[in-house]
Amino acid sequence: MSQFVSNIEPNIIDDEMVQKAIEENCPEDLGDLARREIINWKVVKELQLSFKSILQIDNLWPLENLTKLQLDNNVIEKIEGLQSLVHLVWLDLSFNNIEVIEGLDTLVKLQDLSLYSNRISKIEHMDTLQELQIFSIGKNNLTILEDVVCLRRLKSLRTLNLSGNPFCREEHYTLFVVAHLPNLVYLDFKLVRDSTRKVAALKYRDLTKPLEQEEARVLALQETQEAKQKELEYHQTAFVEYLNGSFLFDSLYEEDREAAKLAFLPGVEDLLQAYKEEFVSVCGNLFNYGLEEYEKREAEVSKFYKRYHEILAVNQEESKRIISDFESRNQRRLDELYQAGSGDLAECEGAQGKEEIRQLWDALMTLEALVSSDLEELLQDFKRSIDVVASTFTESIQGIFNQCRDLENEHHKKLMKIVIATQEKLDMDPFDDSLPEDVQRLFEDKKTIVNIINMAHSVRLRKIDKRESDMLCNIYQWQISETEKAFQTENDRNRACIGKILCFINTLQKELDNSDPEA
């Protein structure tokens, strides 16, 4: 529609336009409030800005919780200014002057999108819209039917409208679309019949089969990568990431430019290989121990919360019993009090009611005090258990890393012996050409080669220390975090429970006060 309107004054979305639209869409009672006060835009879920002669989308960023947005029948030329509306589910941009599909990357929750009647010539930039179910892009300038194939990536797409585009006049348009988008239920407002699917699949099987094979390959690769990422995250949670295999050992040498040169010395390569095997074996022990301890930590936490909820369940059952007994008596008293009207009997019943409410308060608060005491004892036991788990883990980790350091120190001593022996040999025969020139240059000065080896040794020790420090920091943070979380959970529960008791007692007191017909 907007393409044919040339005598309008274009607008840009501003605060006043949005405010007015919100007020117009508010319920009548809320609308009065909206006209008196500034609306909190964060609570707005839907916004209609149709037929506003809007040229440019702007100033919508405060509406961060918007789920439905109507911008149809305007003169919008570019999709922009929507990146903050990450909760959008429904978006209508039909009847505008849009030429390119863009600016939708962050709208990953979008389920219904209409770009009907615009000037779009290519379907593109929609890969992130994986939840899209309904897509209308009819009456545009789409001429290349093969562009529809990119919509295969949208696995949730079930309803598609392409009618009114130039490529719809092609002979086998419907069969091509149905063959390449086999999950479609509706195409151009018509149900896709099973017979149509079969004919389409048969006609275009030579085109769709390679696509299916490639998609299967990509899916398998993606699943493999996701599995690896999930495994890595599990290892990170257990504090043992990259300790399986030779990752840590390889990292010791990744910046050692002289190690490869020294490998030419007689016996060094065998020495290094033996060192690597032993080091990797120790890391494997560390990795396995870390996973076992992680399971123990999880079990310890799970056991605590299971017992925590068991205690609460018993407490809640007792609370329900006390309240149920009170309410059965209280309802009879309220009925009697109402019938008594006023007088000595009513006054006596009222006093008795107040006394029973007070007793209920005492009973519930006593029960809460008892359960708080039980949970405090449970929390202290949990803290002691967590401390023991963390302490045991720390001591074991330090012991295993000491083995790594011992291996590095032993390797360093053996390597130094070979280097000194080589130095002595070269001092006796400076013209020995059994070693490459770049290796011989390392031995031109005895002090230099010794310093190089000592420095490399120090670097490797620091890397071992760093990995140990990271693990110890992680277990300490876990220890503090789990303990604080448990205590905070109980603190929040206790405060909330007391608040509920107080509210309940106040409600009962008001019911009692209002039971007098003359009140």
Side-chain angles (χ1 to χ4, degrees):
M1 179 183 292
S2 60
Q3 295 97 312
F4 306 106
V5 180
S6 59
N7 58 345
I8 59 175
E9 185 69 28
N11 293 321
I12 295 177
I13 299 174
D14 56 18
D15 291 354
E16 183 179 353
M17 181 187 294
V18 174
Q19 183 78 16
K20 185 176 180 181
I22 293 173
E23 293 175 3
E24 290 174 350
N25 285 279
C26 282
E28 185 174 347
D29 54 344
L30 185 56
D32 294 337
L33 176 64
R35 280 178 275 277
R36 292 195 303 268
E37 301 180 6
I38 298 176
I39 292 177
N40 178 8
W41 284 14
K42 290 185 178 182
V43 304
V44 178
K45 299 288 186 177
E46 300 183 5
L47 183 67
Q48 181 176 353
L49 294 172
S50 309
F51 297 97
K52 301 291 184 184
S53 304
I54 296 169
L55 175 65
Q56 181 179 345
I57 305 172
D58 201 1
N59 295 311
L60 293 179
W61 60 267
L63 299 162
E64 58 187 50
N65 292 313
L66 207 63
T67 60
K68 182 176 182 179
L69 176 61
Q70 290 180 251
L71 290 168
D72 57 286
N73 291 282
N74 287 291
V75 288
I76 298 168
E77 297 180 347
K78 184 177 182 180
I79 304 175
E80 59 185 344
L82 302 176
Q83 61 271 15
S84 64
L85 308 184
V86 295
H87 297 290
L88 268 187
V89 174
W90 195 94
L91 175 61
D92 188 354
L93 286 165
S94 57
F95 297 100
N96 280 285
N97 298 325
I98 298 166
E99 296 184 356
V100 179
I101 301 177
E102 59 186 342
L104 302 174
D105 292 350
T106 62
L107 309 186
V108 296
K109 295 184 179 180
L110 205 60
Q111 296 179 13
D112 191 326
L113 171 63
S114 179
L115 295 171
Y116 185 82
S117 191
N118 277 278
R119 299 174 177 177
I120 298 166
S121 59
K122 185 176 180 60
I123 301 176
E124 57 185 345
H125 306 143
M126 297 182 62
D127 288 357
T128 62
L129 308 183
Q130 289 300 310
E131 294 190 19
L132 194 66
Q133 300 174 18
I134 303 172
F135 181 36
S136 177
I137 193 171
K139 202 176 178 183
N140 275 272
N141 298 328
L142 301 176
T143 59
I144 303 175
L145 188 54
E146 287 73 15
D147 285 352
V148 173
V149 177
C150 72
L151 295 176
R152 286 176 65 92
R153 304 183 191 120
L154 307 183
K155 301 304 182 183
S156 298
L157 188 63
R158 297 294 180 269
T159 301
L160 176 64
N161 174 32
L162 298 167
S163 60
N165 283 289
F167 62 32
C168 294
R169 295 191 291 269
E170 295 192 19
E171 182 179 1
H172 300 295
Y173 152 74
T174 298
L175 293 178
F176 182 91
V177 175
V178 171
H180 287 84
L181 304 177
N183 294 326
L184 279 185
V185 178
Y186 295 95
L187 173 62
D188 297 341
F189 311 107
K190 296 178 182 178
L191 179 68
V192 179
R193 299 184 181 278
D194 290 340
S195 57
T196 304
R197 294 184 197 280
K198 292 178 181 178
V199 173
L202 184 62
K203 181 176 181 58
Y204 290 100
R205 64 182 182 275
D206 291 341
L207 292 179
T208 57
K209 189 173 182 179
L211 290 175
E212 292 169 358
Q213 291 173 342
E214 175 61 18
E215 288 168 351
R217 186 192 68 81
V218 172
L219 179 60
L221 180 61
Q222 181 181 344
E223 289 176 347
T224 299
Q225 292 174 338
E226 289 176 353
K228 288 182 178 179
Q229 180 60 33
K230 187 175 181 179
E231 183 181 53
L232 175 59
E233 290 172 358
Y234 172 62
H235 293 168
Q236 289 173 333
T237 306
F239 316 141
V240 294
E241 67 275 15
Y242 304 121
L243 287 176
N244 53 328
S246 62
F247 297 106
L248 180 56
F249 181 85
D250 294 340
S251 72
L252 302 183
Y253 283 89
E254 62 185 359
E255 297 172 2
D256 191 347
R257 294 176 295 179
E258 313 302 336
K261 298 177 183 179
L262 293 174
F264 283 98
L265 300 181
V268 170
E269 188 172 358
D270 292 340
L271 178 66
L272 186 61
Q273 184 61 35
Y275 174 35
K276 180 176 182 178
E277 290 176 0
E278 291 184 84
F279 193 94
V280 169
S281 176
V282 172
C283 287
N285 295 336
L286 179 57
F287 176 79
N288 292 329
Y289 174 76
L291 292 181
E292 291 172 3
E293 287 300 302
Y294 168 70
E295 297 299 335
K296 291 180 182 179
R297 292 197 298 272
E298 288 293 287
E300 195 67 43
V301 174
S302 178
K303 183 176 71 173
F304 162 74
Y305 281 106
K306 180 182 179 181
R307 182 58 186 148
Y308 179 84
H309 291 299
E310 287 174 349
I311 293 174
L312 286 182
V314 173
N315 171 262
Q316 289 167 359
E317 286 300 316
E318 181 63 15
S319 296
K320 288 178 182 179
R321 186 192 64 79
I322 292 173
I323 292 172
S324 178
D325 291 346
F326 169 83
E327 286 181 336
S328 61
R329 296 193 308 272
N330 188 57
Q331 188 57 52
R332 289 196 300 271
R333 176 172 292 103
L334 291 176
D335 293 341
E336 293 171 358
L337 189 59
Y338 183 81
Q339 293 174 0
S342 59
D344 294 341
L345 179 60
E347 184 176 348
C348 181
E349 288 288 345
Q352 183 63 30
K354 289 182 179 180
E355 175 59 23
E356 291 210 6
I357 291 175
R358 186 192 65 76
Q359 291 176 2
L360 176 65
W361 162 267
D362 289 342
L364 292 177
M365 289 300 292
T366 299
L367 194 60
E368 173 58 23
L370 290 173
V371 77
S372 293
S373 176
D374 290 343
L375 292 175
E376 176 64 26
E377 183 178 346
L378 179 66
L379 282 165
Q380 293 299 334
D381 289 342
F382 178 62
K383 182 180 183 306
R384 283 189 289 270
S385 297
I386 290 294
D387 290 346
V388 169
V389 168
S391 175
T392 301
F393 183 82
T394 297
E395 291 177 6
S396 299
I397 289 301
Q398 289 174 331
I400 296 175
F401 273 104
N402 282 336
Q403 294 178 38
C404 292
R405 279 185 284 267
D406 290 343
L407 288 173
E408 169 57 31
N409 290 329
E410 185 64 25
H411 173 73
H412 175 65
K413 291 178 182 178
K414 292 178 180 178
L415 178 62
M416 189 63 77
K417 286 182 180 180
I418 294 175
V419 168
I420 292 174
T422 302
Q423 180 71 58
E424 292 174 350
K425 181 180 178 182
L426 290 174
D427 288 344
M428 295 175 60
D429 184 7
F431 301 103
D432 185 352
D433 58 357
S434 61
L435 297 175
E437 288 187 17
D438 56 346
V439 178
Q440 290 193 38
R441 280 196 293 271
L442 292 175
F443 291 88
E444 290 178 354
D445 180 70
K446 181 178 180 179
K447 185 176 181 181
T448 299
I449 185 62
V450 170
N451 287 340
I452 288 174
I453 294 176
N454 284 334
M455 185 175 296
H457 172 57
S458 297
V459 168
R460 289 193 287 273
L461 286 176
R462 283 199 297 272
K463 289 183 177 181
I464 294 172
D465 292 345
K466 175 65 167 57
R467 190 66 179 87
E468 177 188 34
S469 177
D470 289 344
M471 291 189 74
L472 296 181
C473 285
N474 285 335
I475 191 62
Y476 175 75
Q477 290 172 357
W478 171 84
Q479 177 185 5
I480 298 301
S481 174
E482 288 296 339
T483 303
E484 289 182 348
K485 178 183 175 182
F487 276 87
Q488 188 62 50
T489 296
E490 168 53 17
N491 183 60
D492 293 343
R493 184 211 62 81
N494 177 251
R495 293 178 64 180
C497 184
I498 292 175
K500 288 179 181 178
I501 294 173
L502 180 61
C503 182
F504 179 54
I505 294 299
N506 288 339
T507 300
L508 293 174
Q509 188 63 54
K510 288 179 182 178
E511 287 181 351
L512 182 64
D513 294 341
N514 294 333
S515 62
D516 184 355
E518 297 180 359

